[in-house]
Each structure stands twice: as C-alpha cells, then as structure tokens.
Amino acid sequence: MKNDLAIKNYLFEEKEDLTMSVDKFKNLFLLRFKLLLKDFYLGTGSIIAIIFSILLQFTLSNAAFNGQKGQFILSMTVFFNSIMSAIMMIGIPIAQEKEKNQLKISIEYLFTPLIPAFLIIMGINIILPLLSGVQMTPYFYIIYMFITMILTIISLIIGLLIGVSSKKISNTSYLITYTILFLTLIPQIGTSNGAFEKISDFIYTGVLLKMLMNVSTNQPIEINKFYLFIILIEFISLIILFLLLIRKKRAKINQ
C-alpha cells in the first residue's frame, strides 16, 4: 500500500491530460481527508462549535434568551462550523498548494477537496442540535440538515474561490478572516438591528439564518421567493465566477 508521500508525489506528477482517473480520485480523496484530520487548525470553527455548544449550555441563562437559549447556541455554532471551517478547510490548503506551484488547474482536482470537508462539517452538524439542547421533530430536523447543507456547500465554494484567486498564503489568511466576519457578523447583528437586517437579507447566510431559527423552534419556514432567488443567484454566480477563474488560469498556463 502506498504511503502518504508516495501518493502525494503520484497525484502531483505533471501530465498533459488534466482529467482524473477513478484510482487517482480515490487516492486524492483519502489524502485530503487525512490532511484535514492532521491539520486540525483548519477545522477551528468546528472545534469551537463543539466546545461552545457544551460550554454555553452550562453558562448561559435560558431566561436571558426568552427560553430560546438552545436556538441561539445552535445558530451561532452552525455558523462557526458551516462557514468558518468550510472556508478555512478549502481556502488555506488550496492557497498553500498554489504558492508551492503544486496546484493543478482542473475542475476534477479542485472539487475533490470539497468532499471530505463537506462530510466532516455535516457530520458535526448532525450532533450540534443535541449538544445545544435543541429538540426538533424528525420533520424539522431533516429541514435543518438541508439548510446546513446549503450553507456548507456555498461556503465551501467561497473557500475554493479564495484559495484559487489568492497569490500568497498570507493574503489568503486576511481575505478569509474578513470574509468570515462579513458572512457571520452581519446576519447575527441583523437579528437585533434593522439596518443590518436589511443588508443580511441580501446575503445567503442572513437568509439561511432566518430559516434556521424557525426550524430550531419547530416552526415552518415561510417560502419567500425573494429569499430563494438570493440563494440561487448567489450560488450560480459563485459557480460561474469559479469557471471563469479556472478558464483564465488555464489560458495563462497555455501561453
């Protein structure tokens, strides 16, 4: 069986054909998964989510949140896990490979890191309601998982864009920090501030936070065409931006 170094050399070897075989895809997937577990700092948001879920359960007063302490903890920890960790798990490794000239500009290669990161993040999202003290019916729990899945996927794509577009790893760290603060703070502040609420209505995190707050209290989601449009247009825009960026990178390589 190949060791990690042998697999890495095998994966990064130069080839004219940028397509990926099933064997290489499997090896790359396993390597990415091991690296994510080894470089645990990439999952800082997930670690914070778990610790905060447990810690805040014992330190916060339920009366201070009008009986919705669990819902507050859940929304905050989901954001740490599905936004912070998602962006860091993809953006930083991709930027590191790019800085070392190990990054292959192919859709198959670039999308492979998304799978292990997605599985880890969604695995943690499964247990966050329990850790936060939130009780949901099976129906609303399924909707909760669907909401967190959308939140995670879009955040992963943002991390991918940051990693591919960044020139230096130091620049990537700053860009990731500002992006995470923007995507998390504005919706959270918007729950108590009208001006920020209007801004958050145009951000996928703000829209999904409102849905998350509803399902965490076993309340149905109001189907709003505007909110659905915001999520859909932002998702499609990110995909198009990614494809254009890949096309631009490939053009530079061929020159």
Side-chain angles (χ1 to χ4, degrees):
M1 186 175 180
K2 300 174 183 176
N3 57 31
D4 289 351
L5 181 59
I7 293 175
K8 195 167 185 178
N9 291 334
Y10 170 65
L11 293 171
F12 290 118
E13 65 182 356
E14 291 295 331
K15 285 192 175 184
E16 292 182 0
D17 186 8
L18 291 176
T19 59
M20 186 180 295
S21 66
V22 174
D23 182 57
K24 184 170 284 191
F25 180 89
K26 182 180 71 173
N27 288 333
L28 181 57
F29 170 82
L30 292 174
L31 177 63
R32 294 289 191 185
F33 197 87
K34 290 179 181 179
L35 290 176
L36 284 177
L37 295 178
K38 181 180 178 181
D39 299 332
F40 63 89
Y41 72 92
L42 296 174
T44 301
S46 300
I47 297 171
I48 292 175
I50 294 173
I51 294 175
F52 273 31
S53 294
I54 300 172
L55 184 63
L56 296 180
Q57 273 276 69
F58 297 98
T59 57
L60 293 182
S61 170
N62 198 34
F65 294 90
N66 297 321
Q68 296 186 351
K69 178 183 71 174
Q71 287 71 27
F72 168 77
I73 297 173
L74 180 62
S75 63
M76 181 177 64
T77 53
V78 164
F79 266 39
F80 276 124
N81 187 43
S82 288
I83 300 174
M84 183 176 178
S85 280
I87 295 175
M88 289 180 64
M89 282 182 177
I90 300 301
I92 293 177
I94 292 293
Q96 288 174 338
E97 291 173 14
K98 185 179 178 183
E99 193 172 56
K100 296 175 183 177
N101 295 320
Q102 292 181 327
L103 185 64
K104 282 191 176 183
I105 306 301
S106 70
I107 294 176
E108 299 93 335
Y109 179 85
L110 291 172
F111 267 99
T112 305
L114 302 181
I115 302 174
F118 175 80
L119 293 176
I120 292 172
I121 292 169
M122 290 305 297
I124 294 173
N125 280 335
I126 290 174
I127 63 173
L128 284 181
L130 176 63
L131 296 178
S132 302
V134 173
Q135 296 181 348
M136 288 182 280
T137 63
Y139 171 75
F140 285 107
Y141 183 78
I142 292 172
I143 297 177
Y144 156 80
M145 290 301 298
F146 183 71
I147 292 171
T148 57
M149 182 182 70
I150 296 173
L151 185 65
T152 303
I153 290 174
I154 298 178
S155 300
L156 287 171
I157 296 174
I158 291 175
L160 187 62
L161 282 170
I162 292 174
V164 173
S165 60
S166 298
K167 295 182 179 180
K168 295 182 179 180
I169 187 64
S170 56
N171 296 338
T172 305
S173 300
Y174 286 118
L175 187 55
I176 284 177
T177 300
Y178 293 139
T179 303
I180 291 172
L181 289 175
F182 175 79
L183 293 175
T184 57
L185 289 183
I186 290 182
Q188 292 285 357
I189 297 174
T191 58
S192 58
N193 183 287
F196 280 91
E197 183 181 9
K198 291 180 181 179
I199 298 174
S200 68
D201 284 343
F202 291 89
I203 310 172
Y204 77 98
T205 51
V207 173
L208 292 173
L209 175 61
K210 289 184 177 181
M211 296 181 180
L212 182 62
M213 294 297 289
N214 279 349
V215 299
S216 63
T217 54
N218 293 304
Q219 295 180 9
I221 298 174
E222 180 183 353
I223 303 300
N224 188 311
K225 292 182 180 179
F226 174 75
Y227 288 160
L228 295 177
F229 173 78
I230 290 296
I231 294 174
L232 187 61
I233 198 67
E234 290 183 4
F235 175 75
I236 294 174
S237 299
L238 288 170
I239 295 295
I240 293 174
L241 184 59
F242 170 75
L243 294 176
L244 291 175
L245 188 60
I246 293 300
R247 183 178 180 182
K248 181 180 178 181
K249 298 292 182 183
R250 280 183 174 179
K252 285 185 178 180
I253 293 174
N254 295 329
Q255 285 179 355

